[in-house]
Every structure is written in C-alpha cells, then in structure tokens.
C-alpha cells in the first residue's frame, strides 16, 4: 500500500463543493477510490451500547437534554452492560462503544470498572468511550483502565455558533481542550459535528474542517442535524442529506486514513443513508447492542432507526445490507491505519 496524500482544498473550493448538490457524484467517486486504496472494501463494525440517557447538559438540539421532562430515563446496570458486550462478542463485534449522556451517577471509577471488566473478558476487543466531558485525570484513569478510543464531537468550531447550540453554562473552550487532552493521553480520538445544525453557515463547516486539520483525529463522526419534538429546536429544519454525503466524501479526501462512520442519523434521514455513506467514503458502522427495551428511550432525534430490533437482527440486517452494497464486514478491532501517523 502506498502512502495516500491528503487533499488540500482552498477555502473557496471547499465552499463551492459544500454548497452545491451537483458535486455529490464527483466527490463520492474520488473518495471511494481513496477509501479503497487504504481500507479496500472493508467495513469496520462497532457494537454501540447506549448505557444511560441521563444527562446533566441542556444542548438545545438534543432529545435527552436535562430539561426534557418527557423522556423516561434509564441507566443500564454494570451486569447489563457486561451482558451487552458478551452478546456483542458472540455476534462478532470486536469494538464496543459505550455511549451515554453526561451522567455523573457513573463515577469515574465506575467507568473504569466497566472498561476493566470488558477487557478482562474480551482482551482482543477495543473499547471506545463516548460519555462527554470529564476531567483530564478521569480521561487518564479510563485510558489506564484499558479504554482505547474516545469520541467527543466538537459540534462546531465557531464560538458564536457554539453558544447558539448550547447554553452558556457549557464551555466551548473546554470541549476543544478535552480533545487535545485525550490525544495527549494516548487515546485514538474522534471529533465531528452535525451537518445543518441550526444557525450553521457553510463557512462554519469550512472552519470545522480546518479545526479537524489542526486536531488530526483518528475518527470523524458526522451526521445530519435531525429535529426532536421536545427540544427548543423542534421547529428547526433538518440538515441536508446530500450535503452530509458530500461532507463524508470531503472528509475522506482531506483525512484519507481516518475512520469515518456512516452514522445512524444518516440512516435515519434516508433509508439507504448508511449504504450511500459507505459509497461516499465512510468505512465504519455502529449498530446498536443496547437491550431492546431501552432503545426508544435514547431518542436524540425523532424517527431514529433500529429502535425495535434485537442485537442479532441488527447484525444480520447490516451484514446483508453491506454485502448488497458491495462491501465486507470485518471481524477485528478495526484500528486506524498505521499510515495515519505519517500525516
Ligand atoms: N454525551 C456524549 C457527548 O456529549 O459527546 C455522547 C452522547 S451525544 C448524544 C452524541 C452525539 O449525538 C452528539 O455529539 C451530537 O452531535 C449528536 N446529536 C445529538 N442530538 C442530535 C440531533 N438532534 N440530531 C443529530 N445528532 C444529534
Ligand atoms: Fe447531553 Fe444530549 S444534552 S447527551
């Protein structure tokens, strides 16, 4: 495999590509070529365990925000989380993503215990945390307990825009700093943003891409903003499906070695969104492993897909879909390519 160089678009070219639907096919073709050169037709799968929908934050766009009193809250027990991982392992998952709201009932040491136990039972698996902001010491303790990766979308790189999406108690600076702290500690780090979040301009997306160039993440997760009926943004328009696909392609071209998921939000806005995401340059899927009875309660946005399926059904359904689209599911940890270090 030869080293693939990252595309260096000018701001003006990015603006052109981001703003016009006519570029979808052009970008997807180029991105698919790059993805194939590095990752072939392989698709890495991660078993997603949404272990708590309690959250201390009040992001205006998010269905599980603290002030949404219409959400029935749940928390998985230690045993339930471990059981999800065991079921996932049998289904062939070798990465588990523990995701939740910022739920302080799970103390730092509780998270460490969960990570340690999963690693003890399944040492060949990778663990990704997606639990929001904690202290640097906490991140370090998670890493020492065996966590490998951390997903923390910056959401937006524009400070004014950040405070249109989040209340002032939250900190733009802290979110950004957290990403650099996580990198320094040694995590494989994932950033990202929503496409079409309320008040977002195309110029903001360009600055988001520039921020990611500075961060040099291993993973980048993007999906369309989707409204949720109990949030302050309930009447805001959803993000654009086609623009999200274009951005997936642009990400692949600018960050050739990154792990880029075709997200659940992309599959929610269009029934073939995940397949099209792969064709546009994505190489990761994150099917749900959470117990069936809780799925609907993790309602970040309306009409979320796969809320009724069992873990095994999700796995089979995805395998069929991926094969039909011309890709192969891979059963290993699916770490970022070693070549990533070179850029
Ligand atoms: N609490 C953790 C955090 O803050 O990173 C992880 C959970 S959070 C719900 C995961 C991601 O969901 C967020 O980073 C955000 O980009 C996305 N999200 C939340 N509400 C959304 C919405 N209405 N539409 C699309 N994506 C949304
Ligand atoms: Fe905390 Fe959405 S507001 S996860």
């Amino acid at each position: 495999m030869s080293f693939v160089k990252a595309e260096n678009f000018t701001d003006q070219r990015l603006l052109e590509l981001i703003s016009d639907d006519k570029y979808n096919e052009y970008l997807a073709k180029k991105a698919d070529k790059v993805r194939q050169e590095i990752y072939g037709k392989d698709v890495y799968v991660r078993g997603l365990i949404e272990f708590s929908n309690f959250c201390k934050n009040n992001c205006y766009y998010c269905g599980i925000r603290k002030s949404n009193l219409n959400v029935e809250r749940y928390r998985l027990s230690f045993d339930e989380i471990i059981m999800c991982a065991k079921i996932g392992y049998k289904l062939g998952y070798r990465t588990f993503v523990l995701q939740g709201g910022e739920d302080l009932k799970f103390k730092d040491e509780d998270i460490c215990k969960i990570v340690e136990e999963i690693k003890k039972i399944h040492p060949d698996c990778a663990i990704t945390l997606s639990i929001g902001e904690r202290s640097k010491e906490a991140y370090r303790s998670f890493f020492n307990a065996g966590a490998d990766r951390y997903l923390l979308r910056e959401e937006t790189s524009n400070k004014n825009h950040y405070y249109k999406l989040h209340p002032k108690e939250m900190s733009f600076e802290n979110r950004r700093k957290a990403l650099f702290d996580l990198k320094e500690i040694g995590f494989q780090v994932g950033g990202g943003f929503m496409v079409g979040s309320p008040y977002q301009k195309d110029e903001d997306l360009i600055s988001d891409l520039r921020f990611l160039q500075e961060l040099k993440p291993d993973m980048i997760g993007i999906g369309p903003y989707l409204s949720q009926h109990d949030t302050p943004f309930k009447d805001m328009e959803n993000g654009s499906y086609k623009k999200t696909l274009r951005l997936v392609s642009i990400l692949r071209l600018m960050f050739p070695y990154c792990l880029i998921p075709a997200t659940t939000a992309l599959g929610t806005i269009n029934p073939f969104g995940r397949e099209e995401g792969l064709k546009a340059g994505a190489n990761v899927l994150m099917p749900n492993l959470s117990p069936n009875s809780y799925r609907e309660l993790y309602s970040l946005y309306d009409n979320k897909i796969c809320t009724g399926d069992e873990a095994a059904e999700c796995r089979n359904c995805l395998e069929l879909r991926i094969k039909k689209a011309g890709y192969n599911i891979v059963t290993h940890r699916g770490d970022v390519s070693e070549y990533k270090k070179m850029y």
Side-chain angles (χ1 to χ4, degrees), residues 9-205:
F9 294 115
T10 62
D11 283 5
Q12 200 194 342
R13 181 62 175 155
L14 280 175
L15 196 58
E16 209 182 342
L17 295 171
I18 287 172
S19 60
D20 199 327
D21 280 0
K22 77 176 179 204
Y23 290 114
N24 273 67
E25 219 182 298
Y26 163 78
L27 283 169
K29 256 195 193 144
K30 275 182 77 132
D32 187 54
K33 197 161 166 264
V34 168
R35 200 277 319 283
Q36 290 223 37
E37 209 155 314
I38 300 168
Y39 290 106
K41 291 270 189 190
D42 289 352
V43 174
Y44 298 162
V45 284
R46 283 65 166 102
L48 178 64
I49 305 172
E50 296 162 338
F51 67 93
S52 168
N53 71 352
F54 282 87
C55 190
K56 70 173 176 55
N57 292 334
N58 248 325
C59 308
Y60 299 134
Y61 47 82
C62 183
I64 60 169
R65 61 198 301 272
K66 179 174 82 181
S67 297
N68 183 2
L69 301 180
N70 293 329
V71 181
E72 190 187 320
R73 304 284 170 174
Y74 74 91
R75 242 179 223 120
L76 300 192
S77 66
F78 177 87
D79 290 344
E80 282 175 311
I81 296 172
I82 302 304
M83 186 49 73
C84 285
K86 283 185 180 165
I87 292 171
Y89 192 88
K90 281 203 186 123
L91 292 171
Y93 296 109
R94 296 293 179 269
T95 286
F96 300 108
V97 181
L98 296 170
Q99 191 181 83
E102 290 199 12
D103 180 0
L104 297 182
K105 270 271 173 159
F106 282 93
K107 301 205 170 52
D108 297 343
E109 36 304 4
D110 298 327
I111 300 290
C112 288
K113 273 190 202 137
I114 295 165
V115 171
E116 277 161 5
E117 184 67 11
I118 297 178
K119 281 281 183 166
K120 195 172 93 196
I121 306 173
H122 302 303
D124 54 333
C125 289
I127 297 183
T128 306
L129 295 176
S130 173
I131 58 174
E133 293 162 51
R134 300 230 173 178
S135 67
K136 192 168 177 184
E137 296 70 57
Y139 300 145
R140 195 167 279 121
S141 67
F142 302 154
F143 187 74
N144 291 339
D148 304 270
R149 310 183 188 131
Y150 207 107
L151 298 177
L152 189 82
R153 291 181 177 182
E154 66 278 10
E155 312 297 358
T156 174
S157 55
N158 172 333
K159 188 168 178 175
N160 287 331
H161 185 218
Y162 182 89
Y163 288 108
K164 288 189 172 161
L165 302 179
H166 305 96
K168 63 176 185 321
E169 308 83 78
M170 293 178 70
S171 163
F172 173 73
E173 282 80 14
N174 200 54
R175 189 95 183 163
R176 288 165 77 96
K177 184 176 174 296
L179 282 160
F180 290 98
D181 286 347
L182 288 160
K183 256 192 92 161
E184 190 193 306
I185 290 167
F187 280 101
Q188 291 178 40
V189 168
F193 49 85
M194 290 175 285
V195 177
S197 58
Y199 310 107
Q200 181 185 69
K201 299 192 185 72
D202 286 346
E203 287 75 8
D204 296 325
L205 288 167

